[in-house]
């Protein structure tokens, strides 16, 4: 069973990402060594309306025994009620409930959800307190350095969340107004770690096993959370796990391995969504990033609507990359 101590053991966690961390993505990251995966962000308000489009986000991936669910919303009662419903519906498949207080997207923050909650620490604490009182599983919070550029509020915010009952805290080193621009300040993660007693998960700009080790060394964070670096690159989890264990870090995947994984990803998506797997377009572009011939194939990728379409484009790119490598060998 997951408890607060679980986070202290150098876990390597796949971050929740809207439109990305569906069952297919999670299954592949788990295979490569992710310690825990998250569903996509789930709207508590939508769940309260019994929205089936939202409820399907809670389905487990292949090989997934338990998953963390990240709820977003700004009404304590609704958040608590829906967290309780999620726990009842998922049973042992629910690892813990995370409350999103870090998403800077306008459609989220503009409605008072996500990182907008950092502007109202009292309301944020009320939400954590309400959710923690409604469920048996641990309740965690993910937030940022602060909301407004230059106004670092994460340390005091972390104290408030801990006092309200948060079992662990995930800290992203950017201000909300930065969105994903610039660089993440890992110093704020260290400050939060030095201030609170609950486990702290570091997040932001981990692009390699070396980055993950450096973040832990510089911040003292208990675990790390990987987001964009996992897009098209589930292998990063195996690499970070090896580095944390003091083993030799596996090499980056070959073009053949990237193409093979992209094909598997497409099939996993198709099993969920049927023949129309257009969501695979962005994943395909991520898998092929930097591969010779990928840029020229972008138009074809964006026209794919079936697994067979993706297979054809991926095979074409692979042949081009192999010919390119042979022509430039030596």
């Amino acid at each position: 069973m997951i408890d607060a101590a679980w986070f202290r053991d150098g876990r390597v966690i796949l971050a929740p990402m809207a439109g990305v961390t569906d069952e297919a993505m999670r299954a592949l990251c788990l295979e490569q060594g992710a310690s825990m995966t998250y569903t996509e962000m789930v709207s508590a308000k939508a769940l309260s309306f019994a929205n089936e489009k939202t409820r399907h986000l809670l389905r487990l991936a292949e090989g997934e025994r338990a998953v963390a669910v990240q709820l977003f919303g700004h009404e304590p009662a609704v958040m608590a009620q829906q967290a309780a419903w999620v726990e009842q519906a998922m049973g042992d498949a629910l690892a813990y409930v995370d409350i999103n207080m870090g998403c800077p997207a306008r459609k989220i923050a503009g409605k008072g959800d996500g990182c907008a909650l950092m502007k109202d620490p009292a309301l944020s604490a009320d939400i954590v307190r309400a959710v923690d009182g409604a469920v048996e599983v641990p309740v965690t919070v993910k937030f940022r350095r602060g909301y407004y550029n230059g106004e670092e509020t994460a340390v005091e915010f972390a104290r408030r969340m801990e006092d309200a009952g948060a079992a662990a805290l995930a800290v992203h080193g950017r201000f909300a107004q930065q969105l994903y621009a610039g660089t993440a300040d890992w110093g704020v993660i260290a400050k939060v770690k030095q201030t609170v007693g609950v486990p702290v998960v570091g997040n932001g700009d981990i692009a390699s096993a070396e980055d993950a080790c450096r973040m832990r060394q510089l911040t003292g964070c208990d675990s790390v959370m990987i987001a964009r670096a996992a897009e098209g690159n589930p292998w990063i989890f195996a690499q970070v796990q090896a580095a944390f264990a003091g083993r030799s870090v596996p090499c980056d995947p070959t073009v053949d391995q990237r193409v093979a994984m992209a094909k598997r990803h497409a099939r996993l998506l198709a099993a969920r969504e049927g023949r129309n797997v257009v969501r695979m377009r962005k994943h395909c572009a991520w898998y092929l990033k930097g591969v010779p011939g990928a840029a020229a194939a972008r138009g074809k990728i964006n026209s794919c609507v079936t697994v067979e379409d993706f297979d054809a484009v991926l095979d074409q790119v692979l042949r081009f990359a192999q010919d390119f490598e042979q022509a430039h060998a030596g």
Side-chain angles (χ1 to χ4, degrees), residues 2 5 13 27 47 57 86 102 115 118 121 135 161 164 166 176 203 206 220 237 251 261 275 284 297 304 327 329:
I2 295 290
I13 302 168
L47 283 179
L57 297 176
V86 168
C115 65
M118 292 197 74
V135 298
M161 299 308 103
N203 176 231
I206 298 177
F237 292 98
C251 296
M261 187 70 83
R275 289 178 60 82
C284 195
C304 292

Side-chain angles (χ1 to χ4, degrees), residues 20-260:
V20 177
T21 56
D22 53 32
E23 296 109 303
M25 174 75 166
R26 300 200 313 269
L28 297 176
C29 291
L30 283 168
E31 281 185 9
Q32 291 298 319
S35 305
M36 181 59 65
T37 55
Y38 278 78
T39 63
E40 301 173 62
M41 294 189 304
V42 177
S43 166
K45 179 64 79 175
L47 283 179
S48 73
F49 295 137
N51 186 315
E52 290 302 321
K53 187 176 180 182
T54 299
R55 288 187 172 185
H56 89 280
L57 297 176
L58 304 177
R59 293 189 311 220
L60 291 182
E62 181 180 337
E64 191 170 48
R65 297 178 60 188
V67 66
V69 172
Q70 187 183 70
L71 292 179
F72 72 89
H74 61 271
E75 299 166 290
V78 174
M79 291 285 283
Q81 290 163 2
Q82 297 313 309
W85 180 87
V86 168
E87 184 176 53
Q88 182 181 27
M90 296 186 68
D92 292 342
L94 178 65
Y96 53 94
V97 173
D98 185 76
I99 302 174
N100 184 311
M101 298 188 183
C103 180
R106 182 175 298 177
K107 66 180 181 180
I108 304 295
K111 297 178 180 178
D113 303 328
C115 65
L117 288 169
M118 292 197 74
K119 296 188 286 185
D120 193 341
L123 173 59
S124 299
D126 286 344
I127 292 171
V128 173
R129 198 172 292 112
V131 173
D132 186 50
V135 298
E136 296 294 326
V137 296
V139 174
T140 63
V141 182
K142 187 173 188 291
F143 57 96
R144 286 187 165 224
R145 186 180 180 186
Y147 185 85
Y148 300 105
N149 286 340
E151 293 186 22
E152 186 172 285
T153 60
V155 171
E156 179 57 31
F157 192 83
R159 287 196 190 100
R160 298 282 292 266
M161 299 308 103
E162 179 183 32
D163 291 344
L169 304 170
V171 185
H172 182 102
R174 286 180 174 84
F175 296 107
Q177 288 188 333
Q178 279 184 266
L179 300 178
Y180 298 98
T183 57
D185 186 314
W186 292 354
V188 69
I189 301 170
K191 292 175 189 175
V192 171
K193 175 59 185 172
Q194 292 161 10
T195 300
V196 300
V198 296
V200 173
V201 180
N203 176 231
D205 292 355
I206 298 177
S208 66
E210 181 182 4
D211 289 340
C213 291
R214 191 162 54 89
M215 175 184 277
R216 289 191 74 197
Q217 180 181 13
L218 293 176
T219 70
C221 66
D222 298 279
S223 294
V224 299
M225 182 177 286
I226 298 174
R228 289 178 292 170
E231 295 172 341
N233 184 28
W235 299 275
I236 192 170
F237 292 98
Q239 293 172 329
V240 175
Q241 292 283 19
F244 281 3
R247 303 191 306 269
S248 177
V249 175
C251 296
D252 289 336
T254 63
V255 175
D256 295 59
Q257 290 171 324
R258 290 162 74 173
V259 167

